[in-house]
Amino acid sequence: MTMKESVPDDGVDDVLALVGRSRGNDSGPTAAPAPGAAPAPGAERHRATPWHEARSVAARAGARAAGRAPVQVPLGTALGRVLAEPLHALTDLPSFDTSAMDGWAVAGPGPWRVDPESAVLAGHAPAAALDDGHAVRIATGARVPPGATAVIRSEHARTDAVGQLHAQREVVPGQDIRPRGQECRSGDRLLPAGSTVTPAVLGLAAAAGYDRLSVHPCPRVEVLVLGDELLASGLPREGLIRDALGPMLGPWLRALGAEVLGTRRVGDDAEALYTAVTGSDADLVVTTGGTAAGPVDHVHPVLAKAGATLLVDGVKVRPGHPMLLAELGAGPAHLVGLPGNPLAAVSGLLTLAAPLLRTLAGRSVPEPYRVPVREEIQGHPYDTRLVPVMLRGDEAAPLHYNGPAMLRGIAAADGMAVVPPGGARPGEALDVLDLPWTGLSAPGEAQGVCFT
């Protein structure tokens, strides 16, 4: 399915780009425009930040703001969090010599006399010492009796009529015994700080003696959905449309590692938006729409009034170029302004919110990977393009329905391909951005899950 549709139109500057307007760039922080001031002609394109650089700016902003004290959480609520301290063993693993198999613990060379009334079971008190020439039944995980030199698996031995045990293959001293400290010694570093707490990490921590873990707190995020035209339920009517972003953003941000304090709807009212932004206790405020220069686009004037510093004001990416990142005047909080079109908002999440939240949560940068595309993908002449793709074998298949206002493509996608200016030919390898739930098992079911 060769993608021959026209480049998605995010605004009039696409047309200007196509006729060769200057692509000037000012990648540094800029002062927010004066309240109510309209941008000068060409200013939006001038200040737009290249896509890769915008992601780096967002990551650095999160690193500067990270500083909340680690929290101690029970193992049951630590899944998906990030270790704030290295995980050191609190005990030897195993903490005593244990049997690796069901069978017989034996001492010395055989054959061995078996006591039919005795058995060593897991979780029970240590058995009496074994003398040479004696054997005792033992269960997997049970403590090996003092004096035992090996464990013989049940299927590798037999007893004769007089109660003696005979091995059916060579017995090697120490076989099928897990010696104390085989996996680690008390004090050994098991995992470094910054490791994500997976189900396996929870098991390791429990085995190593932990009841609670020291983790980075999840970044607190509040979502402000802007616009008078949005319906919370029912079918679109009389010029009103359903709010697609309100139901989507909270779960998406939780999957990115955030604690979502709430999702609020704010009408086209500059004072109401100013009150909501400046009154938030969140580490990150996410807004939808209102980032351009229309009559009810209040985000820029509100940021200026709040004394914010614009770190990114427009990004050279399609869809979603009107996105922005600001450092709010009070405290280490930030605001990510997403475009109002749904897929453009997704682009803003992946471009600005994801790197910011990752570093706020103390996470490491994921390893990038590239996948060849199955078919041609049309590009923008100057800007990066993010296109939903499905991964099929070793290839990425681009999906239709990838316009700025569409969610049909991303709903079926495994990731977003990063298409350079000019597009991509069949077989060309492109970077792919994972969606935060791909490859995860029920990422939102457990309390406290913060996977990215």
Side-chain angles (χ1 to χ4, degrees), residues 71 73 77-83 195-197 215-218 363 448 450:
V71 293
V73 299
T77 60
L79 181 64
R81 306 291 280 267
V82 177
L83 293 178
S195 300
T196 299
V197 180
V215 297
H216 289 285
C218 286
R363 299 180 188 279
C450 302

Side-chain angles (χ1 to χ4, degrees), residues 109-129:
W112 301 270
R113 183 183 302 278
V114 177
D115 182 355
E117 304 299 323
S118 298
V120 184
L121 304 178
H124 287 244

Side-chain angles (χ1 to χ4, degrees), residues 89-279:
L90 302 180
T91 182
D92 295 344
L93 283 183
S95 54
F96 46 79
D97 293 349
T98 62
S99 175
M101 291 288 172
D102 292 333
W104 287 269
V106 299
W112 301 270
R113 183 183 302 278
V114 177
D115 182 355
E117 304 299 323
S118 298
V120 184
L121 304 178
H124 287 244
L130 278 181
D131 295 327
D132 279 358
H134 286 255
V136 65
R137 274 282 188 184
I138 193 167
T140 302
R143 188 167 188 162
V144 175
T149 54
V151 169
I152 304 176
R153 303 182 188 191
S154 298
E155 62 270 26
H156 294 165
R158 63 176 180 83
T159 54
D160 60 22
V162 296
Q164 284 194 315
L165 180 73
H166 299 265
Q168 294 180 307
R169 59 181 62 185
E170 181 185 5
V171 177
V172 178
Q175 73 178 29
D176 286 326
I177 293 176
R178 293 188 62 216
R180 177 173 181 163
Q182 181 186 51
E183 185 170 2
C184 65
R185 289 291 184 181
S186 180
D188 284 354
R189 192 179 83 158
L190 305 177
L191 291 170
S195 300
T196 299
V197 180
T198 64
V201 171
L202 290 176
L204 175 63
Y210 285 85
D211 298 315
R212 305 174 71 85
L213 292 175
S214 176
V215 297
H216 289 285
C218 286
R220 299 163 300 183
V221 179
E222 185 169 19
V223 179
L224 304 178
V225 179
L226 312 183
D228 289 337
E229 74 280 13
L230 302 175
L231 291 169
S233 62
L235 295 174
R237 62 181 185 274
E238 299 171 355
L240 302 177
I241 60 173
R242 276 298 297 271
D243 169 25
L245 295 181
M248 179 177 74
L249 291 181
W252 198 305
L253 289 161
R254 279 191 288 271
L256 285 174
E259 174 192 353
V260 179
L261 303 181
T263 298
R264 288 196 282 159
R265 289 181 172 84
V266 179
D268 293 322
D269 183 318
E271 285 303 315
L273 178 58
Y274 176 81
T275 299
V277 169
T278 57

Side-chain angles (χ1 to χ4, degrees), residues 46 53 81 87 99 359:
H46 175 71
E53 185 176 340
R81 306 291 280 267
L87 189 74
S99 175
T359 51

